Amino acid sequence: PWNNQTKLVKLGLQGKTYENKELPAANLTFLIDVSGSMSHELKLLKSAFKLLVDQLRDKDKVSIVVYAGAAGVVLEPTSGKDKKKILKALNKLQSGGSTAGGAGINLAYKLAEENFNKNGNNRVILATDGDFNIGVSSNKSLEGLIAEKRNSNIFLTVSDAITN
C-alpha cells in the first residue's frame, strides 16, 4: 500500500451465520502459551478468552491447559454455566519460563479426547506466539500430530499472539 504502483483489492467474506442456541454443544480446550515470551500478549489473550466465555451456554464445556517449561491442566472440564470458575482460572494465569508447546498440544488433545462430545464441536484453541523450544518442536512432527487428531474429530484453532 505504500507504493503508488501497488493496487489493492479488499475482499470481505461472510460464512453462514447461526444463532448461538442452534449450535451444537462445545467441548473447548483452551491451550494457552504462558511462557516468558508471552508476557506482553497474555493480558490481551485473557481478555479475548473472557469474551468467548461470556458466550458459553450451560451445555458447553471448557478446559484450560497451559504450557511454559512444562504443560499442565489449569481447569478441568467445566460447564459454561460456571463462568465465574472459568474466569477465575483465566485471571490466575501468569507468564514465565521456556516453551514446551508439543507437550501442551498433547495434553490438550488428551483432555479433549477424554471429554469428547460425539454430537458436539470438539476443539482445541491454541493461543501462542509460535515459539516451541522444548520437546517436540519440528513443524513436520507437529503437523503430523494435528492431522492425526483431526481424524478423531477434534479440531485445532490457532490464535497467533505475535503483536509486533
Side-chain angles (χ1 to χ4, degrees), residues 98-110:
S98 50
T99 314
I105 288 173
N106 280 312
L107 182 56
Y109 273 113
K110 180 179 183 279

Side-chain angles (χ1 to χ4, degrees), residues 30-34 42-43 45-46 49 64-67 72-75 86-96:
F30 298 167
L31 174 55
I32 304 173
D33 180 350
V34 293
L42 192 57
K43 183 177 180 182
L45 282 174
K46 290 194 301 189
F49 278 115
I64 301 175
V65 172
V66 297
Y67 63 91
V73 176
V74 172
L75 181 71
I86 299 166
L87 294 173
K88 184 177 179 182
L90 284 169
N91 285 330
K92 287 183 178 181
L93 300 181
Q94 297 181 357
S95 64

Side-chain angles (χ1 to χ4, degrees), residues 16-118:
K16 185 175 180 180
T17 59
Y18 294 91
E19 291 293 322
N20 201 17
K21 64 184 177 207
E22 296 173 0
L23 296 173
N27 170 32
L28 304 177
T29 303
F30 298 167
L31 174 55
I32 304 173
D33 180 350
V34 293
S35 64
S37 65
M38 293 293 290
S39 60
H40 296 293
E41 289 84 1
L42 192 57
K43 183 177 180 182
L44 179 61
L45 282 174
K46 290 194 301 189
S47 295
F49 278 115
K50 289 175 186 178
L51 291 173
L52 179 55
V53 169
D54 286 340
Q55 301 298 312
L56 294 174
R57 304 156 300 173
D58 292 359
K59 65 182 180 178
D60 299 325
K61 285 187 182 177
V62 170
S63 307
I64 301 175
V65 172
V66 297
Y67 63 91
V73 176
V74 172
L75 181 71
E76 293 289 338
T78 302
S79 166
K81 183 178 184 176
D82 199 353
K83 290 177 178 50
K84 286 183 181 179
K85 183 176 181 180
I86 299 166
L87 294 173
K88 184 177 179 182
L90 284 169
N91 285 330
K92 287 183 178 181
L93 300 181
Q94 297 181 357
S95 64
S98 50
T99 314
I105 288 173
N106 280 312
L107 182 56
Y109 273 113
K110 180 179 183 279
L111 203 54
E113 288 168 353
E114 289 172 358
N115 297 281
F116 187 80
N117 181 334
K118 70 178 183 172

